[in-house]
Amino acid sequence: MSDRDISTQTEMDTDLSEFSPVDEDKVLDLLTTCSLNNISERATNKADNINNNKDINNEDNVFDYSSEDEVEYGDEDTILSMTTSRRSLFDPSNPHKSCCLSDVDADSLLFDTDTSRDTVIPLLPTNPPPMDEKYWCEPDGSTFVVRSKSYVNDRKKVASGPSLFRLFAVDMVKVEGSGDKYGSSSSGSSNGGSSSSSSSAKPILSGVCAHPNERVQKALQAQKNGEPGSELPPFIFCINIFVPGKPAFHAAFYYAVDDKSLIDPAALDPESDVTSPNPEFTKLASKFFFGKSDQFRDKTFKLIPRIAKGNFVVKKAVGSKPTLLGTKLKQHYVMNERFFELIIDVGSDKIAKKVVGLSRGYAETLVVDMAFVLEGKSASTLPEQVLGSIRLSNLDFNANYRSLKDPNRP
């Protein structure tokens, strides 16, 4: 190894989570040294290897697991002008009506037909309070590009249909005991209260949907007790991204499956007569949500990233290539008859951890869109359609987010 290679490796080991926007020159120099061009070239080479059924080197980096091309969505003004919405609330009497907490008055929250009751505020999206809605909204799923019906033959992509699921809440919670960027640690840490490093912070693998202090379990308990406002959608899909750092966070995106026929487990039986508005999606979704294979889940759940507004450095590092996260990052699954939670451990891959650390340094200047798709690999599971999306705007990692203790740790 040359002196230059040794220098490059040393710089790659730098903790990017400590960078801030004022370190832009340093970050640019680091990324140049790491050679993003080489990363891109390796991604192309790996795509060729996949097509030729060759073995995949485990040392390939986190950007290398998609054979799809980068997607161009236009300049920042174009992306930022794309339609977004908030659909936090759901009226059980009118499945086509949904709205945002901040956009309604108290009277419109009266979804109960019993007018003798006081105004009912739905508990699921409000208890505990979600992340401030100024930080998040839901981009129109049709603004993302997905695989077409003929993709396996011609690799053509088309605009997705509208999102199949409804984003109703977003939580950002600190992992109790993971410390902060100044080196302090909150009480209750697993190491007896001493300061924790970002590298030692672990995700809460039991998830947030099963946590007794979080919204799903609180709503289920309220429903059991017959409390007003405790109605839940037929099924909930939660995407929970573990963000390493000081402190470490869980970013949880909650989606309502208002039409459960979309994920009908009966579709696991090829002989069953399943009625679904999107049979191609249902064929994948039934296996993803109710099948037994985590390997299938790892190779099916896909992220489509899009930097709507941000620094060139972050845009270059993140890109817009659709990505099968489970082929490089560790994914964990928590499920029961009412919800399915996907936990994505960003800290499980060295380069992903560095890219997210870089993004944290610029978070207050970034607008990031993400769409989630179940990848179709044959005509019977195509075209793809966005199942859910989210836009995160100018996140403040220093805001006063609540802490969450892992119930399975002392």
Side-chain angles (χ1 to χ4, degrees), residues 108-134:
S108 67
L109 295 177
L110 185 57
F111 291 156
D112 199 307
T113 55
D114 184 356
T115 56
S116 65
R117 296 189 185 185
D118 293 333
T119 297
V120 177
I121 298 178
L123 298 178
L124 182 62
T126 62
N127 183 29
M131 185 165 68
D132 194 315
E133 289 180 344
K134 69 181 180 181

Side-chain angles (χ1 to χ4, degrees), residues 118-374:
D118 293 333
T119 297
V120 177
I121 298 178
L123 298 178
L124 182 62
T126 62
N127 183 29
M131 185 165 68
D132 194 315
E133 289 180 344
K134 69 181 180 181
Y135 293 125
W136 62 274
C137 61
E138 184 181 10
D140 188 335
S142 63
T143 64
F144 292 90
V145 175
V146 296
R147 294 181 173 188
S148 70
K149 185 70 174 177
S150 60
Y151 181 84
V152 292
N153 296 320
D154 56 24
R155 296 181 63 85
K156 286 185 178 179
K157 292 191 174 184
V158 295
S160 170
S163 296
L164 295 166
F165 303 164
R166 170 176 56 88
L167 180 67
F168 67 83
V170 174
D171 286 329
M172 180 79 83
V173 294
K174 292 184 288 189
V175 177
E176 186 171 311
S178 62
D180 58 32
K181 68 179 183 177
Y182 301 107
S184 65
S185 176
S186 57
S187 61
S189 64
S190 60
N191 60 6
S194 63
S195 178
S196 317
S197 68
S198 60
S199 60
S200 64
K202 303 294 184 183
I204 300 175
L205 296 181
S206 55
V208 292
C209 289
H211 198 289
N213 296 331
E214 291 303 305
R215 67 182 66 260
V216 174
Q217 290 305 311
K218 284 191 170 187
L220 286 170
Q221 185 61 45
Q223 188 177 66
K224 183 178 179 180
N225 297 337
E227 297 179 26
S230 61
E231 294 83 4
L232 278 78
F235 198 78
I236 295 169
F237 178 38
C238 177
I239 299 172
N240 178 352
I241 302 177
F242 173 69
V243 183
K246 293 185 180 181
F249 290 90
H250 279 277
F253 316 141
Y254 298 87
Y255 294 91
V257 184
D258 294 317
D259 182 356
K260 199 173 179 181
S261 72
L262 285 167
I263 61 171
D264 191 347
L268 289 170
D269 180 2
E271 302 300 322
S272 65
D273 184 17
V274 176
T275 301
S276 167
N278 188 331
E280 296 84 4
F281 175 81
T282 302
K283 184 173 182 179
L284 290 169
S286 61
K287 190 173 181 180
F288 182 86
F289 290 109
F290 303 108
K292 297 180 179 180
S293 174
D294 284 349
Q295 184 179 26
F296 172 81
R297 297 182 180 98
D298 290 345
K299 294 182 178 180
T300 302
F301 182 77
K302 183 162 65 178
L303 162 69
I304 304 176
R306 183 171 70 190
I307 304 296
K309 181 179 180 181
N311 185 281
F312 166 80
V313 176
V314 177
K315 286 184 177 181
K316 189 68 175 176
V318 174
S320 59
K321 179 179 289 190
T323 298
L324 291 172
L325 292 176
T327 60
K328 276 294 183 177
L329 302 180
K330 289 183 180 179
Q331 294 185 168
H332 307 271
Y333 306 94
V334 181
M335 63 199 81
N336 70 11
E337 68 277 3
R338 297 304 301 270
F339 66 81
F340 184 103
E341 182 170 350
L342 164 61
I343 304 170
I344 303 167
D345 183 3
V346 173
S348 63
D349 181 89
K350 183 177 181 180
I351 294 182
K353 182 177 178 181
K354 291 181 183 297
V355 170
V356 170
L358 170 65
S359 299
R360 280 183 67 157
Y362 287 95
E364 293 186 41
T365 66
L366 295 178
V367 178
V368 179
D369 291 347
M370 291 181 280
F372 306 104
V373 177
L374 299 184

